[in-house]
Amino acid sequence: MKQGRLGVGRRKLRGPSNPRRSVPRQTDPYTSQRAITGPAACDVCHAIFEKKRWRFDQTAYEDLMAAKRPKLTTCPACNKIRDRYPEGVLALRWPGLSEHRRDVLGLLRKEETRAKKVNPLGRIMKIEETGKEWLVFTTSTKLAQRLGRELERAYHGASHYHWAHHDKLVRVVWEREV
């Protein structure tokens, strides 16, 4: 045993003290591997990149475009939408979806707008309506989870979350009986 400062024995710890440290972090393959220097703008959605963050600000975009040589790039969310690479899939299963179509779509879009204020890279890519099930594809895992929680809050039912082991993907299933 090792001796501590006061001569009291301590055992040597084997392995990491926090089990989460041993899990490798999954990185987003669409984040820029090279650093963008200075302010830049997305040429698709007009998001602004400055101070290592993306944000929406129409006046800042217009000021940047008025500059002589603005840096135009494509943000990671627009790249994911272009390449059809979702990080979140929300499945809605409810026999009453067709009757409440407008309300549910409004809830999804409203929650997407609220989430974009926190993270402008979290967006709904597309919504596929197939009979009694809808599939909502999102550009971030957090947005899919957030939409599942909001559907639970508004229309009750239950949400189930399934994470992929190797890819950065979450599948959220929201179900409600009649």
Side-chain angles (χ1 to χ4, degrees):
M1 274 208 228
K2 283 189 166 185
Q3 294 292 323
R5 260 196 291 185
L6 300 175
V8 179
R10 290 187 324 190
R11 288 189 309 171
K12 184 177 178 181
L13 295 175
R14 291 187 176 95
S17 60
N18 184 352
R20 289 182 179 223
R21 286 187 190 169
S22 63
V23 177
R25 285 198 78 166
Q26 296 172 344
T27 58
D28 187 356
Y30 280 85
T31 55
S32 180
Q33 298 301 321
R34 58 183 168 76
I36 301 173
T37 57
C42 177
D43 53 355
V44 178
C45 68
H46 301 180
I48 301 293
F49 182 82
E50 62 183 356
K51 298 180 183 173
K52 299 181 182 181
R53 295 187 59 92
W54 287 97
R55 65 185 176 95
F56 286 114
D57 186 357
Q58 189 61 31
T59 57
Y61 176 78
E62 290 168 1
D63 292 344
L64 188 63
M65 295 310 287
K68 292 182 181 179
R69 288 187 174 167
K71 293 179 189 175
L72 293 177
T73 185
T74 307
C75 71
C78 291
N79 284 331
K80 289 177 190 178
I81 292 169
R82 180 195 65 215
D83 294 344
R84 296 184 184 108
Y85 181 83
E87 286 190 2
V89 179
L90 170 66
L92 288 81
R93 297 177 183 156
W94 179 26
L97 270 175
S98 59
E99 300 159 9
H100 298 278
R101 182 183 190 282
R102 198 175 96 206
D103 297 333
V104 172
L105 284 174
L107 175 83
L108 294 174
R109 292 297 178 188
K110 177 183 160 195
E111 197 55 38
E112 176 194 23
T113 304
R114 289 179 56 205
K116 281 197 307 190
K117 291 178 183 173
V118 175
N119 179 15
L121 302 181
R123 302 186 198 151
I124 293 177
M125 295 171 62
K126 68 177 179 175
I127 300 173
E128 290 181 359
E129 300 177 27
T130 56
K132 293 183 180 181
E133 181 180 75
W134 291 5
L135 293 176
V136 180
F137 298 92
T138 64
T139 59
S140 72
T141 58
K142 295 292 184 187
L143 180 60
Q145 295 172 48
R146 184 174 180 157
L147 292 174
R149 279 193 311 271
E150 283 303 313
L151 284 166
E152 241 182 279
R153 228 177 259 148
Y155 295 103
H156 306 291
S159 294
H160 308 283
Y161 304 91
H162 309 280
W163 285 269
H165 293 286
H166 300 289
D167 297 331
K168 189 172 183 181
L169 176 72
V170 66
R171 182 170 176 83
V172 180
V173 179
W174 175 78
E175 297 179 294
R176 179 179 169 189
E177 299 297 321
V178 181

